[in-house]
Amino acid sequence: MKEGWGRRRWWEFRQGHTVYLIFLLTFVNFILIAYRLLIERVTFFKDLVPELWIFALMFILVYVPAAILIGYWHRRTQLRVETTIINQQNPVLARMIRTLLDVQTGVASKEEIKEFRDMLKKIEKK
Amino acid sequence: MIFQKRTIREFWWAGRMGHSIYLTIFLGFINFILIVYNFLIEGNEILENFISEIWVFSIIFLALYIPVSILIGRWHSNTQIHVDMELKMFEDPILARMIRTLLDVQTGIASEEEINEFRNMLEKIERKSG
């Protein structure tokens, strides 16, 4: 598999952006919007949180542990549901496994094996 | 009719990919630049001395953001993806069942009943292919 220099950098850029830096952008957006358009305009909130940096600190201190706890819950309870649903909707993987099964049990015909192998080689060439 | 449904679904998928992989980055940048400039830099005497115009801020932001993002992504690809994959694989019962059944067939442990049940499950999934 040969990928161009530009495509590799584009992949790395997207990984850096979508997995890491997007959090920073979203947090800054949320903090500024919430503070300037909500907290600053309501006296009650403004008395509670008089400065932007205090709100930012409070938000991060609450948000980060909450996100970690929710993520942990997701991994322990929800992730297996998602992988199951995704695999149950993956006909190509099912075909691959079923054909391997049929080869091992002797059910697969020579024609079917050849057709399957051609499909795999076509994918490999990408 | 089935072909049309499939085509519409493929367009829907292409649209989602176009949005989530490419265009959303553009939208996110514009949001960030407008919000930060209007709600943080503009009106702040210290920051306005350094960044007097929104286009200056945009160029500074992009010139820093793109290389930093590439470097972090490179680090992520080399060090973190295998952890992500491992966590996902350990929470993937269907794939584990597929590989285990193949192993059991190979080692002669799998019963005929189990093989049939497994094969039926696979065929049921295969039929979803358009």
Side-chain angles (χ1 to χ4, degrees):
Chain A
M1 196 170 64
K2 286 176 187 169
E3 300 300 341
W5 184 90
R7 285 187 187 279
R8 283 178 182 273
R9 299 296 87 77
W10 170 238
W11 158 260
E12 287 165 359
F13 166 74
R14 272 175 40 226
Q15 292 299 302
H17 171 74
T18 55
V19 186
Y20 297 87
L21 296 177
I22 190 72
F23 292 111
L24 185 74
L25 301 193
T26 312
F27 285 176
V28 171
N29 281 353
F30 176 81
I31 289 164
L32 285 173
I33 290 171
Y35 194 81
R36 299 287 189 227
L37 299 182
L38 179 70
I39 296 169
E40 257 185 359
R41 293 177 184 194
V42 180
T43 321
F44 172 73
F45 290 136
K46 179 78 175 158
D47 291 341
L48 280 177
V49 192
E51 296 284 342
L52 179 66
W53 69 268
I54 298 172
F55 176 62
L57 193 67
M58 283 167 65
F59 171 73
I60 298 288
L61 286 176
V62 171
Y63 194 91
V64 173
I68 292 171
L69 285 174
I70 293 168
Y72 181 75
W73 167 84
H74 177 81
R75 180 160 77 87
R76 305 296 292 184
T77 62
Q78 186 63 22
L79 192 54
R80 76 185 69 119
V81 179
E82 290 181 18
T83 54
T84 302
I85 291 169
I86 287 167
N87 281 328
Q88 281 172 341
Q89 298 293 335
N90 191 342
V92 177
L93 179 67
R95 189 186 169 190
M96 288 172 172
I97 301 292
R98 199 257 310 148
T99 311
L100 284 178
L101 179 75
D102 287 354
V103 169
Q104 284 184 354
T105 53
V107 178
S109 66
K110 289 215 166 187
E111 194 186 359
E112 196 184 355
I113 294 171
K114 191 186 174 304
E115 192 194 320
F116 179 61
R117 201 172 180 280
D118 289 344
M119 183 194 83
L120 292 174
K121 285 187 84 169
K122 202 173 155 188
I123 299 171
E124 276 183 71
K125 277 182 199 141
K126 292 176 179 172
Chain B
M1 188 63 188
I2 292 168
F3 174 75
Q4 281 177 338
K5 265 189 182 174
R6 172 88 186 181
T7 310
I8 291 166
R9 286 187 189 284
E10 283 180 10
F11 276 133
W12 170 232
W13 185 83
R16 271 172 36 230
M17 291 303 110
H19 167 74
S20 61
I21 300 176
Y22 297 85
L23 298 177
T24 197
I25 296 173
F26 179 67
L27 299 188
F29 283 176
I30 289 179
N31 278 351
F32 180 80
I33 288 165
L34 287 174
I35 289 166
V36 170
Y37 192 80
N38 281 291
F39 289 155
L40 190 69
I41 298 169
E42 209 176 42
N44 185 307
E45 285 177 14
I46 303 164
L47 293 173
E48 262 194 330
N49 278 338
F50 293 104
I51 307 159
S52 52
E53 298 281 342
I54 195 164
W55 67 266
V56 178
F57 175 60
S58 305
I59 289 172
I60 293 171
F61 169 70
L62 291 175
L64 286 174
Y65 193 90
I66 293 170
V68 168
S69 190
I70 290 172
L71 285 174
I72 294 173
R74 184 164 209 167
W75 167 83
H76 175 79
S77 299
N78 292 332
T79 62
Q80 183 64 26
I81 287 181
H82 70 92
V83 179
D84 295 13
M85 291 305 295
E86 214 174 295
L87 288 178
K88 275 188 188 166
M89 292 297 274
F90 278 120
E91 297 294 336
D92 198 338
I94 296 264
L95 188 64
R97 188 184 170 191
M98 288 172 170
I99 303 297
R100 197 261 309 151
T101 311
L102 285 178
L103 179 74
D104 288 355
V105 170
Q106 185 77 34
T107 54
I109 298 172
S111 65
E112 284 285 321
E113 195 186 354
E114 196 184 356
I115 295 171
N116 279 337
E117 193 198 319
F118 179 62
R119 201 174 181 284
N120 289 338
M121 183 197 83
L122 293 173
E123 281 193 330
K124 203 174 153 189
I125 301 171
E126 273 186 78
R127 279 198 288 271
K128 289 176 181 169
S129 179

